[in-house]
Each structure stands twice: as C-alpha cells, then as structure tokens.
C-alpha cells in the first residue's frame, strides 16, 4: 500500500473486490470500507479515479461559463430554450459522473448503487441531446412529420437505454472484463445515438442534392457525430491501459479520454444549437414547455421505478465472488 501525504494509503488491485477492478489498472485503488469523509477528501488525492473526477468537475465549470456567455447574447428562457435545457442536462450528467467516481469505491454495494445513479445522469444528458437535435437542428420536413411523436419516442428509447446499461451492470458487473456487458451497453447507447441523429440526418441528403448548398455548412453537426463515435470507442475499449498494464493507473486511461471527449462534444453541441439558431434553421421548431416537463416527469418516474427494481438484483455480498 502507498501512503500519499496525509491521506490514507492507496492499494493494489488484488486488495479490492473484483467488481472494483478496471482492465489494465493494477494499482492506486482506494481501500474499501473507509469513512465517507475519506472518499470525499480523496478529491485532492492521487488515485486511479482522480482524473475521472476532475475532468467532469472542470467540464461542468466550463459548460456553465459557456452557457452564461451565450445567455448574454440570446434569450435562453424563451426564444432559445433548447440551449438552456441542453446545458442543464449536460451539467447534470457531468456532476453525477464526478460524484460517482469520487465515492463508488467505498464498497461493492455502494459501487453498484453509484453506477446506477451515474446512468441516471447519462439518461438526462441523452434526453437533453434529443431535445437539442429535434428542436434546434432538425430537418423541417421531418420535423413536421414527427413533431407529435418524437418526444414520447425519445422518452421510451431513453428509458430503454437506461434499463439496458443498468441491467448489464447489475447482471454482468462482477466481471470487469465482461465483453457481454460492454456490447449490451454500447449497443443500447448506439440506439440512442441513432434517435438523436435522426432529426438532422435528412439535411445531409438535401444538401448533397442541392448545388447551392455546401456540405461544409453542416460541419457543426458532423463534428458532434465524430465526437459521439470517438466516445463510444474509448468507453468500450479500455485503451491504452490494456496495452500497457500498470502504466495508466493515474493518468492516460481510455475513460479519461472519454470524459474529455464528452465535455468537448457538449461544448460543440451548444455551438451547434447557436449556429442553427443564427442561420434561421430552427425557426420551424416550437418547444412546448408543458409537454417537455410532462415527458421529463414520465421519464424520471420510469427510471426511478426501474432503479428500485434493479436494486433488488444487486448481489448481496459481491466480495464473496473474489
């Protein structure tokens, strides 16, 4: 075990339950069953989760600053509500992620519950992304066809995504090397990605077939798609740490790159909302605030019920699996 200043020692992977192991990370784990204050104070300690905590904490501050700057230029409470809604959803995701990475190592039971809370944050972000693409970036013709159906469909798909990634964690989470878990999680996230890309996808076809339109005029959306693909890659592959075991225990993990890409993409998404707002590409979109809150309420209620159910499936004593 390694003492770091005045903080309790970090330890090797062999000294923590298997459910807390990360592929390629051999050391710098925090010991389990410490007082809560230890895990909160570990915000200022070097361990295998330090970068994960700080990347999204800093990302939240950056998003707040970007959103505040945009609020000085646009009426985010009325004429450009998607900007505010998406920004709040993105910051919710990042804050949940930071807190979860900070405290999940306390015990296997806390770990499972914390990860499910992390997925709730992801669901909120996914919902906000759907609001963004449909009410800021959508193709006009497709918007007219789907305007009465997209929001309910977004609720259902977001709930399915949350249920799939959470079930995969609860059922297969004891094995950190489980390919089945990653395939199910990345697959369900891909379904969500298709739904949020769908509203603006026809714009590429219309632009391709229009001599006046340049494909570069859609770069603000293309960048977001590229970031989504990179996020999925680094989330699922655990590279480069699997190639260099023990060399990325503190910094350089694939999940670190994933976090940075998420925040960078969130900034790009805010920019995409602004670009289409300024170009008049979102004039046809009308976001009804009552419908929004109703759908969000239904989504969060469904997620809460699912969370309560999945708690019953969490292994009672995962440490016996080691």
């Amino acid at each position: 075990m390694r003492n770091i200043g005045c903080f309790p020692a970090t330890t090797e992977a062999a000294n923590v339950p298997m459910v807390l192991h990360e592929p390629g990370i051999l050391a710098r784990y925090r010991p389990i069953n410490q007082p809560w204050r230890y895990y909160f104070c570990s915000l200022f300690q070097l361990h295998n989760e330090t970068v994960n905590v700080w990347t999204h904490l800093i990302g939240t501050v950056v998003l707040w600053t970007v959103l505040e700057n945009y609020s000085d230029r646009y009426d985010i409470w009325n004429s450009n509500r998607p900007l505010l809604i998406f920004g709040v959803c993105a910051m919710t995701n990042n804050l949940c992620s930071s807190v979860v990475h900070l405290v999940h190592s306390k015990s296997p039971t806390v770990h499972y519950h914390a990860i499910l809370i992390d997925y709730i944050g992801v669901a909120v972000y996914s919902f906000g992304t759907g609001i963004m693409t449909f009410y800021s970036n959508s193709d006009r013709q497709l918007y007219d066809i789907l305007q009465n159906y997209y929001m309910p469909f977004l609720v259902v798909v977001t709930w399915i995504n949350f249920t799939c990634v959470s079930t995969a964690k609860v059922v297969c989470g004891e094995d950190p090397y489980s390919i089945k878990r990653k395939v199910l999680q990345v697959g369900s996230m891909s379904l969500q990605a298709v739904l949020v890309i769908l509203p603006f996808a026809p714009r590429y076809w219309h632009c391709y077939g229009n001599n006046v339109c340049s494909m570069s005029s859609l770069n603000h959306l293309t960048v977001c798609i590229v970031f989504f693909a990179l996020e999925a890659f680094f989330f699922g592959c655990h590279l480069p740490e699997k190639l260099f075991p023990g060399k990325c225990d503190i910094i350089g993990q694939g999940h670190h790159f994933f976090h940075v890409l998420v925040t960078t993409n969130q900034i790009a998404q805010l920019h995409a909302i602004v670009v289409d707002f300024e170009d008049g590409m979102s004039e046809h979109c009308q976001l009804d605030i009552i419908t929004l809150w109703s759908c969000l309420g239904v989504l969060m209620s469904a997620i809460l019920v699912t969370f309560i159910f999945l708690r019953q499936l969490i292994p009672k004593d995962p440490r016996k699996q080691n």
Side-chain angles (χ1 to χ4, degrees):
M1 298 179 74
R2 306 177 182 180
N3 285 302
I4 304 180
C6 62
F7 291 98
T10 56
T11 189
E12 313 299 318
N15 297 322
V16 300
M18 179 64 73
V19 70
L20 298 179
H21 287 197
E22 292 291 343
I25 307 303
L26 306 184
R28 297 290 187 172
Y29 289 87
R30 290 166 293 174
I32 66 171
N33 296 327
Q34 301 298 307
W36 280 106
R37 65 178 178 276
Y38 163 64
Y39 298 99
F40 286 109
C41 289
S42 69
L43 176 65
F44 305 103
Q45 179 187 10
L46 284 176
H47 50 78
N48 68 326
E49 294 283 14
T50 301
V51 176
N52 284 326
V53 174
W54 278 101
T55 46
H56 268 171
L57 274 181
I58 294 173
T60 302
V61 174
V62 171
L63 285 174
W64 178 275
T65 303
V66 172
L67 188 60
E68 186 177 32
N69 288 337
Y70 281 141
S71 70
D72 292 336
R73 297 161 50 190
Y74 307 102
D75 182 8
I76 64 176
W77 295 99
N78 293 295
S79 61
N80 201 350
R81 286 174 179 165
L83 194 63
L84 173 63
I85 293 165
F86 173 77
V88 171
C89 290
M91 287 188 287
T92 299
N93 170 77
N94 291 3
L95 283 175
C96 284
S97 173
S98 291
V99 173
V100 166
H101 282 289
L102 190 62
V103 304
H104 79 96
S105 299
K106 180 172 173 59
S107 72
T109 300
V110 170
H111 169 80
Y112 278 108
H113 285 83
I115 296 301
L116 293 186
I117 292 172
D118 189 21
Y119 294 155
I120 292 176
V122 173
V124 171
Y125 171 43
S126 300
F127 181 78
T129 300
I131 296 300
M132 161 208 160
T133 59
F134 192 71
Y135 291 100
S136 292
N137 311 117
S138 61
D139 174 74
R140 182 185 295 270
Q141 294 177 348
L142 189 62
Y143 175 87
D144 290 339
I145 296 172
L146 297 180
Q147 60 178 320
N148 294 326
Y149 311 105
Y150 186 82
M151 189 85 81
F153 196 55
L154 176 63
V155 169
V156 172
V157 172
T158 303
W159 173 76
I160 291 174
N161 184 26
F162 169 78
T163 302
C164 287
V165 297
S166 300
T167 302
K169 174 62 183 178
V170 171
V171 175
C172 307
E174 295 171 29
D175 179 9
Y177 303 94
S178 173
I179 296 178
K180 183 189 299 184
R181 173 167 65 95
K182 285 297 183 182
V183 169
L184 182 57
Q185 290 181 327
V186 173
S188 62
M189 291 177 182
S190 298
L191 174 63
Q192 184 91 43
V194 170
L195 180 65
V196 300
I197 291 173
L198 174 65
F200 62 80
R203 292 176 60 183
Y204 286 91
W205 176 254
H206 296 326
C207 190
Y208 178 77
N210 189 335
N211 293 330
V212 178
C213 180
S214 169
M215 294 296 286
S216 63
S217 65
L218 300 174
N219 281 352
H220 59 294
L221 300 174
T222 305
V223 166
C224 296
I225 296 175
V226 172
F227 277 132
F228 279 131
L230 290 173
E231 288 170 31
F233 173 78
F234 281 106
F235 176 80
C237 72
H238 291 285
L239 294 175
E241 61 267 28
K242 287 173 68 174
L243 299 177
F244 307 100
K247 302 298 183 182
C248 305
D249 291 347
I250 293 180
I251 193 170
Q253 300 169 25
H255 206 77
H256 299 165
F257 295 112
F258 168 70
H259 273 207
V260 172
L261 285 166
V262 167
T263 299
T264 306
N265 194 17
Q266 289 166 343
I267 296 171
Q269 288 174 271
L270 288 171
H271 176 68
I273 295 173
V274 169
V275 169
D276 278 345
F277 180 79
E278 291 184 340
D279 291 346
M281 299 301 296
S282 58
E283 289 181 349
H284 59 281
C285 302
Q286 298 295 326
L287 176 58
D288 181 66
I289 199 68
I290 296 177
T291 301
L292 170 69
W293 282 111
S294 299
C295 288
L296 183 59
V298 170
L299 174 62
M300 298 311 296
S301 297
I303 286 176
L304 179 59
V305 171
T306 306
F307 176 85
I308 294 172
F309 172 77
L310 289 175
R311 286 186 62 200
Q312 312 307 312
L313 303 181
I314 292 176
K316 299 301 180 183
D317 189 7
R319 285 171 289 180
K320 294 181 180 180
Q321 305 294 328
N322 300 324

